[in-house]
C-alpha cells in the first residue's frame, strides 16, 4: 500500500481539527462556559486520525468518555459539537447528552460513553450487523488502557473473535486511568498481550505517529473487511492535559518531565516536519491549514453562543421511540 | 446557639465520611478499603483522602477499573471474615457490578442456610445537579431496596453521614452507602468521637403538626426550605428523614402520618416506582383512616437525567415543587411556575 500525499494532508488536517477544537473547549471550560465534565483528547490526535482515515465514512466507531477527538476525526461538525458542549438545543444531542455522550449516527459515530469499556461490546454489535447484512462495513472500537481491565472489554474481544466479526479494537494506551498509573492496575506492560488469549492478531504502534497508526489500521480494516475477523491495535500515546479539565488539580500524579518528554514527540509537529521534508506541505501551507480551522472554530463558538438552550418542553421528549410501521 | 452547640466542631459531609472510615479502621484491623483512585488520589470526590497515607497500601487499595471484581473482592473477603469497604465512585457504575451486588452479596447468607456473614460496605456517589448527564447522575436506590439482603443508607447531613457510616462498617450485612455528590462540601456539626447512628431509625428533622414530609438525602434540605415557606402560610410541617431506606422505619413515618393526617413523600429519584411509592402504600395500609388527603409524591419526571443545566434544573425536585406538593394536600393552588 502506498502512502499518498493526500493521505498525509488528510491525517494532518484531522489532527489539527482535533487539537484546535479541544484547546478551544479547554479555554471555554476554564471560562466556566461548559457545564459538566470535559475529557480532552489533546496529545492523542494521531490515534483517532490514523484510524478514521483508514475507515470509510460508512464504517462505524464507538468511543469513550474522551470522545471529541473520535467524532472530529470521523468528520464531526464543529458547530453541532460546540453547541452540544455548551448544552444548546442545536447540539448533536440537543443539549441532553453533552461531552460524554456526543454522537453522530449518520457519520457512524455510535457515541462517546460515560461508562468505561461500554463501547466495546457495542462495536461488536455493529460489527455483527455488518456481517449479518454482508455490507462490507467495519466497526472500530476506541478504548483506553484502563478500559481493558473491565469485563465488558474481555467479553467483547472474545465474542468478536468467536463470531469472526468485522471489528477493529483500538486501544489508546496513555499509561493512566484517571490518576492511577497503568502499572498499578495490570501486571502486563503491553495491551497487545491480551489479544493472544482471544486468538486475535495484534500490533503495537507509536501512537504519536499518525502514519504508523494509519498503516496498522489499514491492515486491520482490510482483514476485517475480508471476513478474516477482528484485530487489536495498541497505540502508545499520551494525554497532555488532566484526566478531566485542563490543569492538574492539586495532587501531582505524573512528573512534569514525563509530560514534556511526550510533548517533544508531538504527532502534529511530527507530521508537519515529515511533510515539509517530503515537499508535501511547506510550513506556510501548514500555517494556512491552522488558520482556516481556527476560523471554523471561531464560527462554531459563535454559532453555539447564539444558539438557544433547550426548551423545557423537551425534557420528556425522546425517552422512547415512536414505533415505525413495519415495512 | 447554646454553649454546647458552639463547642461541636463543624465538618463537611465528605470529611464526616472520611473520619468515620478512619476511626473505624484504627479500631479494627479487619477493615480495608478498595476502589478506583482511592489511594494516593483519595478518591475522585476526596472521600478517601489521606487514608492510604495513614493505613498504607495494604489496607487502602487502588484497584483496576473493574467494578464487578471490586464488589466481588469485597464479597469474598467478607465471607472470609474481613470487613471490606469497596467504593464504586458513581452510583451509576453499580450497574456494572449488579450480579455481585444482587445475586451474590445480598443472597449468600440466605442461600447458604445462614452460615455466611457478609460485613460488606459498598460506597458510591449518587444524585444529580452537576450537569454530569444520564450515566453519572442517577439515584438508583429503589433498585437496591427491592433486593432482600441489602441495606441502603442515604445520609442527609454531615452528622448523619459519620454516624451512619460507622454503622454500615460495623454491620454484618451488605450495605450500600449513598453519598450525595452535591452535599460533599456541606458543613455541619460533627462530634470528634466515634459514634454510631443505628440503621433503621428515622430522624424527625423538624417537628410539626399539620403535614408530614418524608424526605431523605439532599431532599431533606429542600424540604426544610419548603417548610419555612409553608410556615409563613400557617402550615407547620413535620419532616421525617428515614436515614436508611432498607430497613425502613415505617413505625415513625406512620406515627407521624397519624398525627398530622397529611403526608408528602419526596425523593430525587424518578417518581415512578421510587421508594416513595412503597412509603405511600405503607401509609395507606397503616393509617388510612387518619388521612385527610391522598399521600403526595414528589420525584423526578420519567426521563434519564438531562445534561443541559436548564433541563436539569427543571428535572430535580426542589423546595418550590415540594411546597406545591404540600399545598396540594390542603387543596391549595400551586405557586411555583
Ligand atoms: C465503569 C466505569 N468505572 C469508572 C469510571 C470512571 N472513569 C472515567 S474515565 C476513567 C479512566 C479511564 O481510563 P482509560 O480507559 O485508560 O481511558 P483514558 O481516560 O486514559 O483515556 C475512569 C476510571 C467510569 N466512567 N465507568
Ligand atoms: Mg488511559
Amino acid at each position: 500500500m502506498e502512502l499518498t500525499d493526500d493521505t498525509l494532508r488528510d491525517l494532518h488536517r484531522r489532527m489539527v481539527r482535533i487539537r484546535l477544537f479541544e484547546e478551544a473547549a479547554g479555554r471555554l471550560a476554564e471560562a466556566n462556559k461548559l457545564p459538566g465534565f470535559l475529557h480532552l483528547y489533546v496529545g492523542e490526535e494521531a490515534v483517532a486520525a490514523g484510524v478514521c482515515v483508514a475507515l470509510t465514512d460508512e464504517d462505524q466507531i464507538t468511543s469513550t468518555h474522551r470522545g471529541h477527538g473520535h467524532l472530529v476525526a470521523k468528520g464531526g461538525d464543529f458547530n453541532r459539537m460546540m453547541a452540544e458542549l455548551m448544552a444548546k438545543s442545536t447540539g448533536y444531542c440537543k443539549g441532553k447528552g453533552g461531552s460524554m455522550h456526543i454522537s453522530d449516527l449518520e457519520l457512524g459515530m455510535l457515541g462517546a460513553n460515560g461508562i468505561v469499556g461500554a463501547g466495546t461490546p457495542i462495536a461488536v454489535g455493529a460489527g455483527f450487523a455488518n456481517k449479518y447484512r454482508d455490507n462490507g462495513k467495519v466497526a472500530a472500537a476506541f478504548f483506553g488502557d484502563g478500559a481493558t481491565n473491565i469485563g465488558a472489554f474481555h467479553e467483547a474481544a472474545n465474542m468478536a473473535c468467536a463470531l469472526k466479526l468485522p471489528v477493529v479494537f483500538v486501544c489508546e494506551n496513555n499509561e493512566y486511568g484517571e490518576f492511577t498509573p497503568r502499572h498499578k492496575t495490570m501486571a502486563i506492560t503491553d495491551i497487545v498481550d491480551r489479544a493472544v488469549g482471544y486468538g486475535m492478531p495484534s500490533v503495537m504502534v507509536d501512537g504519536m505517529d499518525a502514519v504508523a497508526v494509519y498503516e496498522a489500521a489499514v491492515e486491520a480494516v482490510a482483514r476485517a473487511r475480508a471476513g478474516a475477523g477482528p484485530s487489536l491495535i495498541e497505540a502508545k500515546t499520551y494525554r497532555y492535559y488532566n484526566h478531566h479539565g485542563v490543569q492538574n488539580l492539586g495532587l501531582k500524579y505524573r512528573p512534569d518531565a514525563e509530560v514534556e518528554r511526550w510533548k517533544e514527540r508531538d504527532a502534529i509537529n511530527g507530521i508537519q516536519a515529515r511533510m515539509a521534508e517530503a515537499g508535501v506541505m511547506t510550513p506556510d501551507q501548514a500555517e494556512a491549514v491552522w488558520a482556516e480551522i481556527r476560523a471554523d472554530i471561531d464560527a462554531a463558538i459563535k454559532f453555539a453562543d447564539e444558539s438557544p438552550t433547550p426548551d423545557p418542553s423537551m425534557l420528556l421528549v425522546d425517552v422512547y421511540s415512536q414505533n415505525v410501521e413495519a415495512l | 446557639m447554646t454553649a454546647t452547640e458552639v463547642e461541636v466542631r463543624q465538618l463537611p459531609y465528605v470529611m464526616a465520611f472520611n473520619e468515620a472510615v478512619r476511626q473505624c479502621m484504627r479500631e479494627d484491623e479487619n477493615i480495608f478499603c478498595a476502589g478506583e483512585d482511592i489511594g494516593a488520589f483519595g478518591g475522585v470526590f476526596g472521600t478517601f483522602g489521606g487514608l492510604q497515607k495513614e493505613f498504607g497500601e495494604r489496607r487502602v487499595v487502588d484497584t483496576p477499573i473493574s467494578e464487578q471484581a471490586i464488589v466481588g473482592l469485597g464479597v469474598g473477603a467478607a465471607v472470609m471474615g474481613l470487613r471490606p469497604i469497596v467504593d464504586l465512585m458513581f452510583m451509576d457504575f453499580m450497574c456494572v457490578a449488579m450480579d455481585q451486588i444482587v445475586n451474590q452479596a445480598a443472597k449468600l447468607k440466605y442461600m447458604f442456610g445462614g452460615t455466611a456473614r457478609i460485613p460488606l460496605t459498598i460506597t458510591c456517589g449518587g444524585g444529580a445537579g452537576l450537569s454530569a448527564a444520564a450515566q453519572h447522575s442517577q439515584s438508583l436506590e429503589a433498585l437496591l431496596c427491592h433486593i432482600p439482603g441489602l441495606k441502603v443508607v442515604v445520609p442527609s447531613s454531615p452528622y448523619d453521614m459519620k454516624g451512619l457510616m460507622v454503622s454500615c462498617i460495623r454491620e454484618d450485612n451488605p450495605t450500600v452507602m449513598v453519598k450525595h455528590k452535591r452535599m460533599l462540601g456541606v458543613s455541619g456539626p460533627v462530634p470528634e468521637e466515634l459514634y454510631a447512628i443505628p440503621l433503621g431509625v428515622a430522624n424527625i428533622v423538624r417537628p410539626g403538626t399539620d403535614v408530614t414530609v418524608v424526605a431523605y438525602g439532599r431532599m431533606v434540605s429542600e424540604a426544610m426550605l419548603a417548610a419555612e415557606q409553608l410556615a409563613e402560610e400557617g402550615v407547620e410541617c413535620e419532616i421525617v428523614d428515614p436515614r436508611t431506606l432498607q430497613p425502613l422505619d415505617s413505625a415513625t413515618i406512620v406515627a407521624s402520618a397519624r398525627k398530622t393526617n397529611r403526608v408528602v413523600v419526596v425523593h430525587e429519584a424518578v417518581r415512578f416506582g421510587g421508594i416513595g411509592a412503597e412509603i405511600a402504600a405503607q401509609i395507606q395500609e397503616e393509617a388510612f383512616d387518619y388521612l385527610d388527603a391522598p399521600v403526595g409524591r414528589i420525584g423526578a419526571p420519567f426521563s434519564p437525567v438531562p445534561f443541559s443545566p436548564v433541563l436539569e434544573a427543571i428535572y430535580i425536585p426542589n423546595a418550590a415543587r415540594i411546597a406545591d406538593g404540600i399545598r396540594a394536600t390542603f387543596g391549595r393552588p400551586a405557586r411555583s411556575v
Side-chain angles (χ1 to χ4, degrees):
Chain A
M1 174 218 43
E2 210 194 319
L3 183 69
T4 67
D5 293 352
D6 277 347
T7 299
L8 285 172
R9 286 191 202 99
D10 192 2
L11 289 168
H12 173 254
R13 169 172 285 270
R14 293 195 207 209
M15 287 198 286
V16 175
R17 276 173 60 86
I18 298 171
R19 174 75 48 96
L20 287 174
F21 182 87
E22 293 293 69
E23 295 202 322
R27 280 193 299 275
L28 290 166
E30 290 198 314
N32 282 327
K33 289 191 80 174
L34 301 188
F37 299 131
L38 184 76
H39 303 91
L40 296 177
Y41 197 71
V42 177
E44 308 187 8
E45 293 88 348
V47 188
V51 170
C52 289
V53 170
L55 296 171
T56 70
D57 288 352
E58 264 75 61
D59 293 322
Q60 308 94 12
I61 61 171
T62 63
S63 169
T64 68
H65 55 286
R66 201 175 301 290
H68 315 158
H70 304 136
L71 179 51
V72 172
K74 199 74 172 63
D77 174 58
F78 279 168
N79 286 6
R80 295 174 71 194
M81 289 187 71
M82 207 51 97
E84 188 57 36
L85 264 49
M86 288 196 200
K88 298 300 183 74
S89 63
T90 53
Y92 264 116
C93 314
K94 301 181 182 142
K96 289 176 172 177
S99 163
M100 261 192 301
H101 305 290
I102 205 153
S103 54
D104 184 343
L105 299 194
E106 279 167 22
L107 287 176
M109 198 297 199
L110 308 187
N113 210 309
I115 303 299
V116 168
T120 50
I122 295 173
V124 173
F128 182 90
N130 293 337
K131 184 171 175 178
Y132 192 85
R133 294 199 171 115
D134 197 15
N135 63 12
K137 296 180 194 174
V138 171
F142 290 97
F143 51 93
D145 48 306
T148 71
N149 292 327
I150 209 158
F153 162 76
H154 294 274
E155 295 182 25
N158 182 63
M159 190 184 287
C161 291
L163 303 183
K164 235 181 180 189
L165 301 177
V167 179
V168 179
F169 291 90
V170 183
C171 181
E172 299 165 331
N173 182 354
N174 62 13
E175 293 293 327
Y176 291 86
E178 290 193 345
F179 314 96
T180 301
R182 181 198 43 68
H183 69 83
K184 284 201 160 183
T185 60
M186 59 181 79
I188 55 173
T189 303
D190 303 319
I191 305 298
V192 283
D193 290 354
R194 301 209 191 275
V196 181
Y198 303 114
M200 177 156 54
S202 68
V203 59
M204 191 158 74
V205 297
D206 178 1
M208 305 307 274
D209 178 351
V211 172
V213 175
Y214 167 73
E215 286 174 343
V218 165
E219 200 175 302
V221 169
R223 187 179 298 128
R225 247 192 255 295
S231 321
L232 171 72
I233 298 170
E234 175 185 4
K236 304 275 196 194
T237 184
Y238 204 76
R239 65 171 154 74
Y240 291 176
Y241 297 138
N242 200 16
H243 167 63
H244 64 81
V246 179
Q247 302 299 335
N248 286 344
L249 313 158
L251 195 121
K252 265 219 161 21
Y253 58 96
R254 49 182 206 183
D256 290 342
E258 179 180 296
V259 182
E260 291 313 313
R261 242 190 349 268
W262 281 91
K263 284 186 177 173
E264 277 164 21
R265 304 187 42 244
D266 184 79
I268 300 179
N269 288 345
I271 203 165
Q272 288 186 168
R274 178 180 180 141
M275 289 194 299
E277 202 167 297
V280 179
M281 186 185 281
T282 65
D284 280 352
Q285 287 168 327
E287 187 42 50
V289 172
W290 286 81
E292 180 200 328
I293 296 172
R294 264 191 209 105
D296 290 347
I297 296 280
D298 290 345
I301 295 173
K302 186 164 186 292
F303 171 83
D305 255 333
E306 290 170 356
S307 290
T309 57
D311 189 84
S313 65
M314 297 307 287
L315 180 62
L316 294 175
V317 174
D318 289 331
V319 179
Y320 296 99
S321 298
Q322 293 290 322
N323 289 344
V324 181
E325 202 70 26
L327 294 174
Chain B
M1 247 190 224
T2 68
T4 48
E5 272 172 338
V6 174
E7 279 162 24
V8 176
R9 176 194 48 153
Q10 298 283 310
L11 207 64
Y13 188 83
V14 55
M15 289 316 294
F17 173 92
N18 187 275
E19 190 168 272
V21 176
R22 187 184 299 271
Q23 291 179 346
C24 289
M25 286 184 79
R26 284 178 186 159
E27 281 197 340
D28 184 350
E29 163 74 17
N30 282 327
I31 301 169
F32 74 95
C33 304
E36 295 159 24
D37 290 295
I38 68 165
F41 198 72
V44 295
F45 304 123
T47 38
F48 292 84
L51 293 175
Q52 192 179 65
K53 202 166 180 204
E54 176 166 347
F55 299 104
E57 292 189 17
R58 174 169 167 264
R59 296 185 68 193
V60 181
V61 183
D62 274 319
T63 65
I65 308 171
S66 308
E67 282 75 13
Q68 185 167 198
I70 292 169
V71 178
L73 171 95
V75 175
V79 172
M80 298 313 295
L82 295 182
R83 201 164 277 281
I85 300 169
V86 298
D87 184 60
L88 291 180
M89 204 182 292
F90 287 77
M91 186 175 208
D92 315 66
F93 306 162
M94 81 182 195
C95 300
V96 178
M98 218 51 173
D99 175 62
Q100 286 296 329
I101 298 171
V102 175
N103 291 325
Q104 314 303 331
K107 298 183 174 52
L108 290 194
K109 181 177 187 70
Y110 187 83
M111 294 188 300
F112 294 176
T115 53
R117 193 174 281 270
I118 318 286
L120 166 67
T121 305
I122 299 170
T123 65
C124 58
L130 301 177
S131 307
Q135 295 173 342
H136 284 72
S137 304
Q138 295 172 89
S139 297
L140 297 171
E141 55 273 10
L143 265 61
L144 300 167
C145 292
H146 189 64
I147 308 300
L150 296 180
K151 298 196 175 184
V152 183
V153 184
V154 283
S156 65
S157 70
Y159 177 86
D160 280 10
M161 169 54 93
K162 181 170 173 185
L164 291 169
M165 185 59 193
V166 168
S167 289
C168 287
I169 296 170
R170 292 179 176 170
E171 171 70 38
D172 279 349
N173 292 287
T175 59
V176 181
M177 158 58 77
V178 187
K179 306 167 264 190
H180 198 293
K181 300 194 286 285
R182 262 178 89 188
M183 293 188 63
L184 297 170
V186 172
S187 282
V190 179
E192 288 181 34
E193 71 270 13
L194 193 52
Y195 62 94
I197 299 172
L199 306 186
V201 179
N203 181 26
I204 297 180
V205 182
R206 182 189 197 278
T209 48
D210 303 330
V211 56
T212 298
V213 180
V214 182
Y216 61 87
R218 202 182 75 77
M219 286 299 116
V220 171
S221 56
E222 294 291 330
M224 290 293 277
L225 292 173
E228 281 168 30
Q229 291 176 33
L230 268 294
E232 286 169 20
E233 296 166 31
V235 172
E236 287 304 323
C237 301
E238 175 150 295
I239 300 179
V240 180
D241 173 7
R243 285 174 161 161
T244 69
L245 302 176
Q246 187 62 265
L248 182 69
D249 185 354
S250 306
T252 298
I253 294 169
V254 168
S256 179
R258 288 181 175 183
K259 182 178 88 176
T260 65
N261 315 117
R262 290 181 168 81
V263 186
V264 175
V265 189
V266 184
H267 49 63
E268 193 183 309
V270 169
R271 197 176 103 111
F272 188 102
I275 204 71
E278 173 66 29
I279 293 173
Q282 290 194 15
I283 291 168
Q284 68 83 19
E285 285 165 354
E286 304 293 331
F288 187 77
D289 291 338
Y290 295 81
L291 292 178
D292 289 342
V295 177
R297 285 190 294 144
I298 309 284
F302 201 62
S303 81
V305 183
F307 163 64
S308 149
V310 176
L311 297 183
E312 196 181 27
I314 306 168
Y315 181 87
I316 303 171
N318 58 18
R321 262 165 68 194
I322 297 168
D324 279 345
I326 297 167
R327 290 183 189 112
T329 65
F330 291 92
R332 299 184 189 173
R335 293 209 183 161
S336 69
V337 272

